[in-house]
Amino acid sequence: MTQKTVDRAQEYVRIEAVTKRFGDFVAVDGISLSIFKGEIFCLLGGSGCGKTTLLRMLAGFESPTSGRILIDGQDMAGIPPHERPVNMMFQSYALFPHMTVESNVAFGLEQEGLAKTEISRRVAEMLDIVKMGEYGRRKPHQLSGGQRQRVALARALVKRPKLLLLDEPLGALDRKLREHTQFELINLQEQLGVTFVVVTHDQEEAMTLASRIGVMNKGQIVQVGTPTDIYEFPNSRFVADFIGSVNLFEGQLVEDEPGHVRIRCAELDSTVFVDHGISAAPDAKVAVAIRPEKIELSREAPSGDENRAHGVVKEIAYMGDMSVYLVRLDSGRVVRVTIPNSERHADQRVVWEEPVYLSWEPSSPVVLTV
Amino acid sequence: MSTRGWFRHTALALGLAFLYIPILSMMVFSFNNSRMVTVWDSVNSPTLRWYVRLFENEQLLGAAWISLQIAAMTATGAVILGTLAGLVLTRFGPFRGRALLSAMTTAPLVMPEIIMGIAMLLLFVSLEQLIGWPTGRGMLTIVIAHITFTMAYVTVVIQSRLAGFDDALEEAARDLGARPVTVFFRITLPLIAPALVSGWLLAFTLSWDDVVISQFVAGPGSSTLPMEIFSRVRRGVSPDINALATIMVLIVATGVVASTVWMKRQERKRLLEEQMARSDAG
Amino acid sequence: MFGKRLVIGVPWFWLLLFFAIPFLIVFKISFSWMQPIQPGYAPLFSWVEETQRFVATLNLSNYEVLFRDPLYLNTFLYSIKVAAISTVLCLLVGYPMAYAIARCKPSTRNLMLMLIILPFWTSFLLRVYAWIGLLKTNGVINNTLIALGIIDQPLTLLYTDFAVYVGIVYSYLPFMILPLYANLEKHDLTLLEAAADLGASPTKTFFRVTLPLSMPGVVAGCLLVFIPAVGEFVIPSLLGRTDQLMIGTVLSAQFFGARNWPVASAVAIALLLALLIPILLFQRYQRRELEAAKR
């Protein structure tokens, strides 16, 4: 995960109560959001959550049904795409098939009416930056997927936009190439100091690229935060479940102190003790979320009578770097536990049908009220 | 499976024979010396006398020239209007009157020609009464009528070409700062160029071939080639029509074969280049 | 904004003026009285001096004639019969061909398609004309059959229903094959393997899998042949019977021969109404095809 220091004082994009309807369908539902100068902001969500519509409104291909979008303090209402200080990298790359790589990259500069020499200098420079200098005379169909992606990036960046919109930038690449390209993208962004807004449905991609993530669901932004915030402190059942995998237990608040809380869950045979306070009504229905990697597995009973459960191992899936255990608790509930395979030979590991204890630290559970 | 393969090949062979035997027989008999068109005069054949007679027939040649002019004007007009209609229907999203436009561009594809012919003629007659235009009927009215029924075909060709390529290409151009007019001329037009060519050729052929609609909207002195042929053929077979048919078939066949070969070569080149791109992907 | 309106407006108004309005005019004239002088029909609305009023003279007799005179009903039914039989024949000839092409190697496929379309690019009129030479009493077919000793008296082939069927099938075959091919070519061949794997014979697979899946193509092809064939005028007048006319020929005779424009208009309107449902069906098919192409 990359942690960048972003100057929060410098707001670059401001989205104010933006709603977009297509007929009866509400694609974007009253979103307000600020994006800061120089950050990589990821809009993360499943298909149909409205993330692409929001991106297209920033680019100017759709106009909001209500609300305002300001870029660098200027209201974008009524400004067509070709007059916005924004460029976009399309999911399909949208390289012009009848033009060479050079002419593709030069296209945007020609629209600005720059001199020919200036255009060819900047095109060459940009192609070098994305390491495509040797391929200038090729046509898009003569390039591989990864090369096309770089040309698309070069074409959008050569106009030196202050804001670059990327629609699923790595979606069309295979897995190996993806990881490599992610880091290149981050380096490029740091080098050029452009603000990125990235739309993706891939949480790993969002986690690696983003300085901040906005998780979207049904046209709304449900949580905004750094990747760590989103993963460690999800604010709702939806976010906890959407990012990574999680064990969710429904329960009732039985003790609510400023420094700690106790929750009783029907599916667990002990109470859950959490070492930080929450804000919820007394006796409120809450959910406890515990990540699989934060649960420990042991044959012996752990000390204390809280934050523990007892069950039987029903499945073990070996994943190479770690193993996933599915444990059926005495209540019948199945819990997911992941353990890193830090040793090559593990004779001591638990096996199928073995009775085990589960336990976790008081700081691990997240209490969710919505 | 092999019996089915045999059945398929036979069906195809018989079908092609059905398509080509009439044309071939017409071509063969165009070299027949006998006036009895279908009785082969083995003594004096083959001969080119019908070809010579054809080129001496000023009426037919004149009609051919008129048809050529009409077809060229029609094709050009139909491509312009059909492209606009295709663009509007695939790219402009919803607007008032879209359903009507869409219906008006597909109806001519199946409308019996005779109904269109009557409708067009009555329109021209009414217009002339109302506003005095078009005065009489001739090439102008034929061209208008032909553009109207051929533009539907062009629209379909353009629509399917536009539907086949990504809207994002045009959006990308706008995003890079191109005004809508620039987008049209630098992106859309080059990309649909093949469809423009095939649309033009299609409209040309349909116009060149049309007899029913022309008959209704033609005036004195604007007889097209098909109209001339039709009035001759109704009187019976004549050997110089065989010669004319042979010439037309040969011209068309050469054109179609040449363009197919050319397109095939382009495609092969493209495939080769794509393979190369995959192999040296870095 | 102005540019966008202009782009929409040009084709829209062209088609409105030259395609939609003409039908309204035909409709109007079908209610007029015939008039021996130009323009051949009396105005529907006229200004009557005496009463200082507009008077509408609606004439329903043009339609009445259609029902009263057996000639019209007869030719109508005959035209529909001829078109229907020709369409079925066209399907029987075209389906195996489209199927064979769709299952060819891709390289042969394009060649075959070119061979199917090539005759279409040559003159329609001349292709119909070619059949006169083949079907005549002393034409190629009769001469060949006599020479082979199969028959000793020439058969009457020309100027029969058979000749019209042959002419229509011949002229409209590409319109049947192309939509069928477009459909068959898209089929997933693993479906056939799955059917075979589940124990269906090739014949059963064809009737239970391939044929149902190709129905949209069948419907489109049939409509593309049937609708224009009902109004066909050139083929029956060159190859058809002289004692039994098709509606297109009657229409043309009323128009040019009898110069009875109002009755001709009424016939045209009746024909259009009869074909309205097939035309709407075709439009629906066309819309779906384009939507599918977009995905």
Side-chain angles (χ1 to χ4, degrees):
Chain A
M1 262 172 255
T2 49
Q3 299 294 338
K4 269 181 258 45
T5 47
V6 171
D7 185 357
R8 301 220 158 191
Q10 274 196 296
E11 178 189 69
Y12 190 65
V13 178
R14 185 189 183 88
I15 297 167
E16 282 179 2
V18 163
T19 295
K20 177 70 187 176
R21 286 195 191 87
F22 296 105
D24 289 339
F25 177 69
V26 184
V28 170
D29 189 4
I31 287 183
S32 292
L33 185 66
S34 290
I35 295 166
F36 305 116
K37 199 163 220 162
E39 75 169 333
I40 300 187
F41 190 92
C42 270
L43 288 166
L44 175 64
S47 62
C49 70
K51 57 189 193 300
T52 302
T53 309
L54 187 58
L55 195 75
R56 290 172 60 82
M57 285 194 282
L58 287 173
F61 296 124
E62 311 282 356
S63 44
T65 311
S66 64
R68 290 205 302 168
I69 293 176
L70 294 104
I71 296 177
D72 209 6
Q74 194 194 354
D75 191 342
M76 286 289 124
I79 298 183
H82 58 275
E83 286 166 16
R84 294 193 180 201
V86 172
N87 286 113
M88 178 150 166
M89 198 184 112
F90 288 80
Q91 184 176 8
S92 60
Y93 306 146
L95 296 179
F96 307 132
H98 57 301
M99 295 183 191
T100 61
V101 167
E102 274 173 359
S103 342
N104 261 286
V105 179
F107 186 87
L109 298 177
E110 284 164 15
Q111 307 311 315
E112 290 174 17
L114 296 181
K116 277 224 166 95
T117 48
E118 169 75 357
I119 291 177
S120 50
R121 192 184 59 76
R122 274 173 66 177
V123 168
E125 186 186 272
M126 186 46 77
L127 284 177
D128 280 341
I129 291 179
V130 298
K131 304 187 188 84
M132 285 296 292
E134 294 166 39
Y135 297 92
R137 304 234 169 263
R138 290 216 184 169
K139 291 268 186 85
H141 71 268
Q142 295 167 293
L143 301 176
S144 69
Q147 292 170 336
R148 284 183 210 180
Q149 194 256 5
R150 288 150 192 252
V151 176
L153 196 60
R155 188 178 70 178
L157 285 174
V158 78
K159 299 217 15 154
R160 297 179 183 158
K162 292 281 178 349
L163 178 64
L164 184 70
L165 310 173
L166 302 98
D167 189 1
E168 305 274 0
L170 309 171
L173 303 180
D174 58 47
R175 211 184 155 80
K176 270 263 163 70
L177 199 55
R178 249 177 134 129
E179 208 164 279
H180 178 71
T181 315
Q182 275 173 358
F183 294 112
E184 272 192 352
L185 214 53
I186 294 168
N187 287 338
L188 205 61
Q189 191 264 347
E190 278 175 349
Q191 189 184 333
L192 300 172
V194 185
T195 308
F196 277 21
V197 176
V198 181
V199 151
T200 179
H201 69 279
D202 182 335
Q203 41 165 307
E204 264 181 58
E205 193 172 309
M207 292 284 185
T208 13
L209 283 176
S211 48
R212 286 193 308 148
I213 295 175
V215 182
M216 287 188 69
N217 182 33
K218 291 180 186 161
Q220 292 178 325
I221 294 227
V222 286
Q223 187 172 5
V224 178
T226 62
T228 325
D229 285 343
I230 300 274
Y231 188 80
E232 299 291 348
F233 307 103
N235 65 359
S236 62
R237 289 174 175 86
F238 175 82
V239 175
D241 200 35
F242 185 75
I243 312 285
S245 49
V246 75
N247 297 297
L248 273 176
F249 304 98
E250 299 298 326
Q252 197 140 23
L253 208 54
V254 289
E255 194 180 327
D256 185 5
E257 296 294 325
H260 70 267
V261 291
R262 279 198 168 78
I263 294 157
R264 182 174 296 127
C265 301
E267 290 167 334
L268 296 172
D269 39 23
S270 69
T271 48
V272 178
F273 175 80
V274 184
D275 67 356
H276 53 263
I278 60 158
S279 56
D283 299 327
K285 292 263 189 200
V286 294
V288 176
I290 313 175
R291 296 278 179 200
E293 74 276 10
K294 295 199 163 63
I295 300 179
E296 269 175 62
L297 217 57
S298 59
R299 291 198 180 86
E300 294 80 32
S303 60
D305 52 5
E306 285 184 316
N307 288 352
R308 54 183 270 186
H310 183 260
V312 178
V313 175
K314 296 312 281 185
E315 297 281 355
I316 305 174
Y318 178 70
M319 315 278 276
D321 52 347
M322 57 165 190
S323 291
V324 177
Y325 294 79
L326 295 184
V327 178
R328 185 190 293 147
L329 303 185
D330 298 341
S331 63
R333 167 69 193 266
V334 176
V335 174
R336 188 184 170 94
V337 181
T338 52
I339 310 245
N341 294 324
S342 41
E343 300 144 32
R344 186 175 279 180
H345 305 286
D347 308 325
Q348 300 305 308
R349 274 189 212 145
V350 292
V351 294
W352 263 279
E353 299 296 339
E354 201 173 339
V356 285
Y357 288 95
L358 309 182
S359 60
W360 53 88
E361 294 297 314
S363 61
S364 296
V366 176
V367 183
L368 302 170
T369 51
V370 284
Chain B
M1 213 53 205
S2 67
T3 55
R4 272 159 59 83
W6 175 83
F7 174 74
R8 289 203 315 252
H9 291 134
T10 316
L12 199 53
L14 285 176
L16 289 174
F18 173 64
L19 280 178
Y20 282 92
I21 283 176
I23 295 175
L24 290 177
S25 115
M26 202 160 53
M27 291 169 83
V28 168
F29 282 102
S30 74
F31 299 102
N32 185 10
N33 187 50
S34 167
R35 187 167 284 280
M36 298 267 298
V37 179
T38 51
V39 181
W40 187 257
D41 173 5
S42 50
V43 184
N44 298 310
S45 306
T47 170
L48 289 176
R49 64 182 276 209
W50 306 116
Y51 290 85
V52 175
R53 226 180 78 167
L54 183 68
F55 283 102
E56 286 164 0
N57 188 334
E58 305 233 322
Q59 207 179 353
L60 273 183
L61 289 183
W65 173 234
I66 289 177
S67 277
L68 205 62
Q69 287 171 284
I70 289 176
M73 286 191 277
T74 296
T76 310
V79 162
I80 293 170
L81 287 168
T83 304
L84 291 181
L87 196 69
V88 162
L89 287 174
T90 35
R91 289 292 194 263
F92 275 32
F95 58 88
R96 280 208 305 161
R98 187 184 191 284
L100 181 63
L101 182 64
S102 158
M104 288 192 301
T105 51
T106 44
L109 298 179
V110 282
M111 190 62 66
E113 285 175 305
I114 196 144
I115 297 183
M116 282 195 68
I118 287 186
M120 296 299 290
L121 173 58
L122 293 180
L123 172 80
F124 292 136
V125 170
S126 308
L127 274 181
E128 192 179 0
Q129 275 198 300
L130 265 171
I131 58 169
W133 180 89
T135 39
R137 283 173 294 285
M139 266 172 70
L140 176 70
T141 49
I142 300 179
V143 170
I144 290 176
H146 281 190
I147 288 178
T148 308
F149 91 93
T150 56
M151 73 174 271
Y153 291 83
V154 179
T155 307
V156 171
V157 172
I158 299 287
Q159 265 181 299
S160 51
R161 174 80 188 177
L162 279 173
F165 81 80
D166 198 357
D167 303 28
L169 289 174
E170 286 147 330
E171 288 181 348
R174 281 210 288 160
D175 186 66
L176 292 167
R179 289 176 311 124
V181 179
T182 317
V183 175
F184 179 74
F185 283 104
R186 291 218 37 202
I187 309 296
T188 316
L189 211 54
L191 286 172
I192 60 172
L196 293 182
V197 174
S198 46
W200 195 91
L201 289 174
L202 188 60
F204 184 94
T205 315
L206 288 165
S207 163
W208 169 260
D209 211 17
D210 174 72
V211 56
V212 179
I213 294 176
S214 304
Q215 249 186 351
F216 279 94
V217 296
S222 61
S223 271
T224 63
L225 186 61
M227 285 166 69
E228 280 295 321
I229 298 174
F230 191 46
S231 68
R232 268 154 209 271
V233 166
R234 277 178 129 171
R235 282 182 251 130
V237 281
S238 85
D240 42 354
I241 296 292
N242 283 343
L244 177 67
T246 307
I247 293 173
M248 280 169 61
V249 168
L250 286 181
I251 292 174
V252 168
T254 319
V256 172
V257 170
S259 68
T260 311
V261 168
W262 184 77
M263 282 193 314
K264 214 165 181 181
R265 193 166 293 166
Q266 289 287 313
E267 198 184 298
R268 201 173 299 150
K269 191 174 138 212
R270 197 188 156 86
L271 281 176
L272 209 70
E273 284 174 352
E274 269 168 18
Q275 262 168 11
M276 273 165 55
R278 270 198 295 277
S279 61
D280 71 10
Chain C
M1 224 41 232
F2 171 74
K4 189 172 169 177
R5 286 219 187 112
L6 189 73
V7 171
I8 296 176
V10 169
W12 199 87
F13 278 107
W14 178 285
L15 284 170
L16 193 73
L17 177 60
F18 293 117
F19 186 73
I21 290 180
F23 287 108
L24 297 181
I25 295 176
V26 175
F27 190 65
K28 190 197 94 178
I29 292 174
S30 73
F31 290 106
S32 312
W33 293 95
M34 188 186 165
Q35 189 175 280
I37 49 155
Q38 278 287 358
Y41 55 88
L44 267 195
F45 304 97
S46 48
W47 180 255
V48 179
E49 275 303 323
E50 297 86 65
T51 54
Q52 296 284 301
R53 268 190 196 146
F54 268 112
V55 180
T57 34
L58 263 186
N59 177 9
L60 293 173
S61 67
N62 301 324
Y63 286 95
E64 215 187 307
V65 167
L66 297 190
F67 289 101
R68 216 165 354 93
D69 191 338
L71 168 81
Y72 290 105
L73 206 58
N74 182 304
T75 45
F76 245 110
L77 293 176
Y78 176 72
S79 303
I80 288 174
K81 185 192 97 180
V82 168
I85 292 177
S86 309
T87 305
V88 171
L89 290 175
C90 214
L91 182 63
L92 292 179
V93 176
Y95 199 106
M97 291 178 77
Y99 185 80
I101 298 172
R103 299 288 171 270
C104 275
K105 280 181 297 178
S107 52
T108 341
R109 223 182 265 172
N110 286 333
L111 177 73
M112 289 298 153
L113 276 181
M114 195 199 77
L115 284 176
I116 301 287
I117 302 170
L118 190 71
F120 166 76
W121 288 94
T122 69
S123 168
F124 157 70
L125 199 53
L126 290 175
R127 280 183 294 136
V128 177
Y129 158 80
W131 280 97
I132 301 180
L134 291 177
L135 296 173
K136 277 194 335 174
T137 315
N138 59 349
V140 175
I141 291 177
N142 273 320
N143 288 353
T144 313
L145 290 178
I146 290 172
L148 291 174
I150 297 172
I151 51 170
D152 40 33
Q153 284 297 310
L155 302 169
T156 314
L157 298 170
L158 195 57
Y159 309 126
T160 60
D161 288 349
F162 170 75
V164 177
Y165 301 150
V166 170
I168 293 179
V169 172
Y170 187 67
S171 309
Y172 289 93
L173 195 57
F175 292 102
M176 179 63 84
I177 293 181
L178 291 181
L180 276 174
Y181 166 78
N183 174 292
L184 287 166
E185 185 242 5
K186 279 182 287 188
H187 286 195
D188 180 358
L189 291 184
T190 54
L191 291 178
L192 304 186
E193 287 169 7
D197 184 63
L198 295 167
S201 67
T203 319
K204 195 142 201 172
T205 306
F206 176 80
F207 283 105
R208 294 288 302 275
V209 179
T210 308
L211 191 60
L213 281 174
S214 63
M215 277 324 277
V218 171
V219 172
C222 287
L223 291 173
L224 272 174
V225 175
F226 178 78
I227 302 170
V230 174
E232 187 51 61
F233 164 65
V234 172
I235 296 172
S237 54
L238 290 183
L239 306 176
R241 278 156 64 176
T242 42
D243 59 332
Q244 172 68 69
L245 302 176
M246 276 180 75
I247 196 71
T249 323
V250 170
L251 193 51
S252 169
Q254 274 294 351
F255 206 88
F256 290 116
R259 298 201 70 80
N260 192 341
W261 291 10
V263 167
S265 299
V267 174
I269 291 294
L271 179 57
L272 194 60
L273 285 178
L275 294 177
L276 197 63
I277 290 169
I279 290 174
L280 290 177
L281 270 178
F282 177 76
Q283 292 211 327
R284 205 175 65 149
Y285 164 82
Q286 192 74 14
R287 248 198 325 273
R288 281 196 188 162
E289 275 299 285
L290 280 169
E291 274 161 22
K294 253 193 152 160
R295 248 162 256 139

